[in-house]
Structures are given as structure tokens and as C-alpha cells.
Amino acid sequence: MRSSVVKVFATVLVLAAAVMPGTADAAARPAGSEPVYDFGSAIRETVWVDTGRDGDGDGRSDRVAADLVRPREAAEQGIRVPVIMDASPYYSCCGRGGEKERKTYDGSGRPVGFPLHYDNYFVPRGYAVVLVDLAGTNRSRGCVDVGGQSDIGSAKAVVDWLNGRATGYSAATGGSAVTAGWTTGNVGMIGKSYDGTIANGVAATGVAGLKTIVPIAAISSWYDYYRSDGAVAGGGSPAGLAQTVAAGNQGQNCSAANRKLSQGFPANGDYSAAWAERDYVAAAKNVKASVFATHGINDLNVKSINFGQWWSALASTGVDRKLWLSQTGHVDPFDFRRAEWVRALHQWFDHYLLGIDNGVERTPRVSVERQPDVWVDQTAWPAAGSRNVVLRPVAGGTAGLGTLTSGRAVAGKATFTDNPRQSETTWAAQPTQPSASRVLYTTGVLAQDLHLSGTGTVTATVTPSTATARISAVLVDYGQSTIRNYGGPGEGIRTGTAEDCWGASTTGDDACYRIATADTVNVGLHIFSRGWADLANHQSLSRETQLVPGRPYTITFRLASTDKVVPKGHQLALIIGGTDAGFVSPPAQAPRLTVDLANTYVTLPIDGPAPVAGAAQPLPATPSQVVPDLSASLERG
């Protein structure tokens, strides 16, 4: 162990009075790092790290700007400190956090304002905080490539510099070499949305020195942000996002890089080499860092499939993992569970970056928000008792309506016509009425709670009337309940005017933030999982085939990862439709689709017995529901 690390532990031991109860060595075990360093006198500087790439084609290796703040007293005493790092493209274009904070600088270009509370809270506790401008953004050179080698490489280069494997400079061009002898080299990456995505991507390189990541509402595969099992997600493109985040850069010429982005992704939903480059799930085997992930089950921006497949892929790596699942949309836990989040982060970083034995790795692995502000712990996700259960649609007395049962397959047909102007909210609104644009099957009233925990799939055998076709499926909880208003402007939170403070403040770097509370709504239905596919990709995700009208095709596609209890007395429904407006783009011609019910089923991850229907009870004719704001996008991450 380095002598500098021993000094950190000694400082903590002297200043941390509280200890963990109930252990034989409690008197010798520090509870956690304490705010012993003066934030006002902290060292603030920018180092430009050489990435070894020339993305903007100017003949010089790109340098990325790493703005950092670290305790001055630690440097003067020769105490090396670990690093909390947030690499982002948003520090000038869009801002970070609920208050859209941007980096600020003094007249000499010295960093003053660091967005978010990480520096205010952790620097006094013996950490450095490093905020990295991704290549091609803010004060960094190079070009954005939306999750590709430039983005990931620019953040990885800073981890390498912190561990003595890359060169840093005192200026964007020229300048003198700068080393990072003040750090232990232990790095924890954190960030929401695009930032957390970069943390996932850097971890997937297996870079030495990255000890932990905290991805918040993060992408694990960019294909699953812009596409879905062959279907093209509605709105946005990698090239458009690159232009948005590069708006505040230093004016470098990225026309060639932008052309590559525009041309590198198929216009259809085929999985290509460009998507594979941005698929961190496929590289999860390389991850060595521990992972503390958090995601909103109702996130309609970065869909929950992104946490589900990433978490599951990490299971085989053996790394320590922790997961929070909220009822919110695309929201940071600092805004829905603030005190608990800061405390959890503090313990997590203390353990994985300072090496303090505080027992955090032995706390419950998974926490799930069951009702607004009501959390339960689980030992695993999917839940330990979760298993795949097949439920089959069976035709009823009314065309397009029927039951969803765990019994045997029953012959039957159901037909609907794709209406690209309708969405899942329209499909679900009148469950007792037949519809020309969807079919609906329900379990009937549940005799006991039904816990779904994991990632489900739909297998559908469908005959289209045209050569192109989309197919969508949604799971609906019918019954009165109070949930977070994830479709509202705050995606499940309401931000007030009162503030609370998390750490020390200085002029230009405030530690105080507006307090958010749960924004709730009473509903009669909750669409809690959905999935979309292009029938042309029934054989291969990498290559679509033209459909022959009148011929049946079988396709299996994924539903959004979830952890949801459908309560006793409610009903679970499966709805199958065509184009889910706002979520996926429509086909060239709207087809008439005939579903072969005997060869169509949904496979659900159920913790407990299969659903058992109670006494017959009609659904409400038009139950109230959340109407999601489909303008949500990563650009406002």
C-alpha cells in the first residue's frame, strides 16, 4: 500500500468518530471520509490530455480539457487522493442537472463553477473531482462521434493520464507537460444519460485504474437508443446529436467526422458495424470496475432495456454491483431520493476509491420504488424467484378481445390494421371496446399480487397484407393506483423554490439546489412495459428481408426491462398493435395484420406463481392514464 494512501486512512481514522456497530473490530474501522479540507482554497486547474487521435484532421493530436478541483492541503502534505470523474459533452451546450448548470471560468480561463454537487461534497472529504469535456465539445479539440471510439477514447485517455499512461499539458496547444502525481490513480466515473453512457463505455474497455462506475439512466447500446429490434425509433439521429453537443466547441472542422456519422448507420433498423462499435453490452466481459446503476422504470428517453441488458451481462463478470430502480422517467436520484442518494454515493466511493471497509458491498444489492417514495430491497434483479412464464392470448366473444392465460395454445385469429397516427395510449384507453388498430388480451382480475421482474419477450406469428410491417406490444396494469407522473414536465418530480445544500460553497460554485418532491397522479391504468419490432427483421437483426404479402412470419422481440407488482384485484393485459406513434417510425404502407393466436405468446419474468384470475369483473370503459411526453430526448439529458 502506498504511504500516501496510509496517510488518507490515518486522517479518516482520527476524524471519523462514528464506527459501524456490531462488529468485533468496530473501534478500528472508520465510518467514512469527513469534510476536513477547505473547499475555498482548493486547487482549480485545467489539464489538456493528449488522446492520440486526430479527429478534426488538423494535423495535431487532439487534446481534451479536464477541469479539476482538488484539496490544497492534501497536495501540500503529500497525500494522494482518488478521483471522481464525470465526462460529458454537455458542459457548454446544455448544462447538467435539474438546474442546467454549465462550467464557468474566470478571465484567465481558470475553472470556477463546477456543475452538480460532486465537487462541493467530495473535495472537502479528500477527493479530487475531474470534469472532462468530451472530444469536440466545450474546450476540447477533436470531434464528437456519439459513443464511438472518439467519445470513449477521450474519456479513457484522462483515466490513463491519472494513472501515468498518457500525457497532459498546460494548454490546448503547446504548453508544458503536466503529470498527475497528486492522485492515487483510483478513478470512479459517474454521470447521467450521455455522461453515464460514457462511463459504461470506458468500463467496457477494461482500463486499469477505473475502480467503479455510477451510470445514471445510461445507454448500454446505442442501437437500443435509436432502434428497437429492427424498428427505427422516432426522432433524432447520431449526427443530429453530435451537432447539438458540438455547438459550443472551439470551431474545429468536423465536417468529415459528421459525414461519417451521417453515412455510418443504416436508415432502416439493421444492426451494423457502426452500432456494434457502440455496443458496450457485447464488451461487458472486459469490465473490471464495480457498478452502481440507477434507472427509471418509466424512462421513455433512455429506455429501460438499456439497464436490463447491461446488468445481466455484468453478472458473468463477477464485479460488485448495486441497482436502484425508480418509478420516474429520465431523472437523477439526486432529485427523487436526495439524502439517501448522497449517503449511498458517499459510502460507495469511500469503499471503492478510498478502500474503507464500511460494509457497503454487503448492503442489499437492489432497491426498487414500489409506490412513490416507498422503496423495497431485493437480493437480486431479476428477483431471486423470477422465472420465465408463457402466457397465451385466447380469443373471446368479441373480435380483437380475449383472455391471457398460462394454459395451452388455442387456435384462433385476430386482425387489425396499422394506424400510424395512434399510439399505445389510444390502444389502452378503451379496453372493453374492440378496435380496428389493435388487439387486447387480459388475465381478468388477479387473485393475488403478480410480481414481474426482468426482461420479457413477445413471440408473434403475423401475416401482413403489405411488404413492410411494424409490430408493437405493450403490457398494461388495469386498476386504480397512484404512481409518479412520469409523463409530466418533471417526469415524476416537482421542483420547488426552497433549497438545501450538499457540501461547501464558494463564490461562483454553489452547493445548494432546489428541492424536488414526488409528482404523483391517480390512474386507472399504467402502461409499464413495451417493445417494438420490424417484421422484416424476423430472421436477422443485421439484415431485413422483404415480406411477401399473405405469408405468415414469426418474430420474437423484447419488452422493456421492468420490476413491477400488478396488485391483487387489478388486471394484466397484453396489447398488440402496429406502429406505436411517437415511439417508432411507420412502414411505407400501413398493413392489415392477422395474428395467429395459437402461435403467439408473451414470455414474462414472474417472481411467484403464474397469474390466477379471480371472479369476473369488467374493466372500466375508459380508465384514466398517464399520457407520456414523447418530446423527451437525450439532447436534454
Side-chain angles (χ1 to χ4, degrees):
M1 182 182 293
R2 292 181 179 179
S3 60
S4 57
V5 178
V6 173
K7 290 179 182 179
V8 172
F9 286 161
T11 301
V12 172
L13 283 165
V14 169
L15 293 167
V19 295
M20 291 182 62
T23 57
D25 59 345
R29 180 179 294 149
S33 57
E34 296 287 339
V36 299
Y37 296 113
D38 177 35
F39 186 63
S41 64
I43 297 170
R44 295 168 180 263
E45 59 188 333
T46 302
V47 176
W48 279 267
V49 177
D50 193 329
T51 68
R53 297 173 58 87
D54 182 14
D56 52 11
D58 64 357
R60 297 176 297 187
S61 183
D62 302 328
R63 296 180 185 179
V64 293
D67 293 318
L68 63 94
V69 53
R70 54 191 175 94
R72 184 176 298 276
E73 302 96 320
E76 293 171 347
Q77 296 167 25
I79 298 173
R80 298 188 180 192
V81 298
V83 171
I84 297 170
M85 175 174 150
D86 187 339
S88 176
Y90 290 139
Y91 288 129
S92 64
C93 79
C94 310
R96 305 311 298 128
E99 299 182 23
K100 305 300 181 187
E101 292 182 301
R102 292 172 170 81
K103 288 181 177 179
T104 61
Y105 305 89
D106 65 17
S108 301
R110 171 179 165 272
V112 174
F114 283 64
L116 307 175
H117 72 286
Y118 306 138
D119 61 320
N120 310 91
Y121 187 85
F122 285 104
V123 171
R125 287 171 166 80
Y127 293 82
V129 170
V130 177
L131 304 186
V132 180
D133 298 330
L134 290 186
T137 69
N138 201 23
R139 301 202 297 174
S140 289
R141 308 299 300 181
C143 296
V144 177
D145 67 353
V146 187
Q149 294 178 8
S150 178
D151 278 12
I152 302 305
S154 62
K156 178 181 177 293
V158 178
V159 177
D160 284 332
W161 172 69
L162 292 165
N163 282 274
R165 299 187 299 268
T167 305
Y169 293 91
S170 60
T173 58
S176 57
V178 179
T179 60
W182 46 265
T183 178
T184 62
N186 292 343
V187 181
M189 291 187 68
I190 189 171
K192 179 194 169 194
S193 201
Y194 203 137
D195 306 16
T197 303
I198 298 302
N200 284 343
V202 174
T205 70
V207 61
L210 183 61
K211 300 299 183 182
T212 191
I213 62 170
V214 183
I216 302 166
I219 294 169
S220 59
S221 169
W222 284 86
Y223 178 89
D224 291 302
Y225 184 75
Y226 287 109
R227 305 288 188 265
S228 177
D229 289 308
V232 177
S237 68
L241 179 54
Q243 293 174 8
T244 296
V245 300
N249 66 16
Q250 302 301 300
Q252 52 265 47
N253 183 0
C254 290
S255 56
N258 290 340
R259 277 196 305 274
K260 183 178 179 181
L261 274 179
S262 296
Q263 299 167 1
F265 302 96
N268 62 13
D270 287 356
Y271 184 87
S272 65
W275 295 123
E277 180 185 332
R278 294 158 175 83
D279 186 349
Y280 316 130
V281 177
K285 62 183 180 296
N286 300 322
V287 175
K288 300 179 178 67
S290 62
V291 180
F292 186 175
T294 176
H295 214 103
I297 289 296
N298 295 307
D299 191 339
L300 300 180
N301 180 346
V302 178
K303 314 299 189 299
S304 61
I305 191 69
N306 280 278
F307 95 78
Q309 62 191 3
W310 180 237
W311 179 263
S312 297
L314 292 171
S316 62
T317 66
V319 300
D320 288 347
R321 294 175 298 152
K322 191 174 181 67
L323 176 65
W324 280 14
L325 297 176
S326 76
Q327 277 197 359
T328 66
H330 198 58
V331 181
D332 193 305
F334 188 73
D335 290 323
F336 63 70
R337 205 184 184 194
R338 183 168 295 180
E340 294 86 346
W341 176 244
V342 174
R343 181 167 59 249
L345 273 187
H346 186 183
Q347 292 179 321
W348 190 263
F349 285 142
D350 273 2
H351 180 70
Y352 291 102
L353 299 183
L354 283 175
I356 296 175
D357 181 12
N358 55 20
V360 70
E361 78 281 15
R362 297 185 292 276
T363 58
R365 174 170 283 186
V366 179
S367 292
V368 182
E369 188 180 26
R370 283 279 172 258
Q371 300 171 22
D373 291 326
V374 177
W375 291 76
V376 299
D377 292 330
Q378 295 178 179
T379 58
W381 187 91
S386 182
R387 73 198 194 289
N388 287 331
V389 175
V390 171
L391 301 180
R392 300 180 183 277
V394 177
T398 302
L401 301 178
T403 57
L404 190 64
T405 173
S406 56
R408 63 182 179 84
V410 177
K413 304 286 185 182
T415 301
F416 62 89
T417 300
D418 187 359
N419 184 344
R421 295 184 299 277
Q422 291 190 4
S423 72
E424 59 188 43
T425 56
T426 305
W427 297 341
Q430 294 182 302
T432 61
Q433 300 298 315
S435 168
S437 62
R438 57 89 172 125
V439 292
L440 185 152
Y441 303 90
T442 172
T443 59
V445 178
L446 295 172
Q448 59 189 32
D449 289 353
L450 177 64
H451 182 199
L452 294 92
S453 179
T455 303
T457 62
V458 171
T459 298
T461 299
V462 180
T463 301
S465 64
T466 60
T468 58
R470 308 287 186 268
I471 184 167
S472 303
V474 300
L475 296 179
V476 189
D477 170 5
Y478 282 103
Q480 292 296 320
S481 59
T482 299
I483 64 174
R484 285 188 183 261
N485 185 20
Y486 64 88
E491 299 189 54
I493 64 168
R494 181 179 289 108
T495 304
T497 57
E499 293 185 332
D500 56 8
C501 303
W502 298 89
S505 297
T506 61
T507 302
D509 196 339
D510 186 8
C512 303
Y513 293 86
R514 294 195 295 271
I515 299 170
T517 56
D519 177 17
T520 63
V521 59
N522 296 318
V523 296
L525 70 86
H526 176 202
I527 301 172
F528 64 90
S529 185
R530 68 273 289 161
W532 315 277
D534 188 330
L535 198 58
N537 290 95
H538 65 281
Q539 289 185 321
S540 169
L541 193 60
S542 300
R543 183 175 57 85
E544 68 176 22
T545 57
Q546 186 169 350
L547 305 176
V548 177
R551 177 180 295 178
Y553 297 91
T554 298
I555 188 170
T556 297
F557 58 99
R558 301 163 300 166
L559 294 168
S561 303
T562 192
D563 199 292
K564 161 78 173 179
V565 172
V566 183
K568 173 183 176 181
H570 286 210
Q571 301 189 44
L572 171 68
L574 169 68
I575 298 177
I576 299 175
T579 301
D580 191 352
F583 287 104
V584 294
S585 61
Q589 289 180 282
R592 185 173 175 81
L593 297 167
T594 299
V595 182
D596 178 357
L597 297 181
N599 292 292
T600 295
Y601 54 89
V602 58
T603 303
L604 298 181
I606 294 178
D607 176 23
V612 176
Q617 179 177 322
L619 288 164
T622 309
S624 58
Q625 62 178 309
V626 170
V627 178
D629 175 10
L630 298 181
S631 66
S633 67
L634 189 68
E635 283 81 348
R636 64 184 183 89

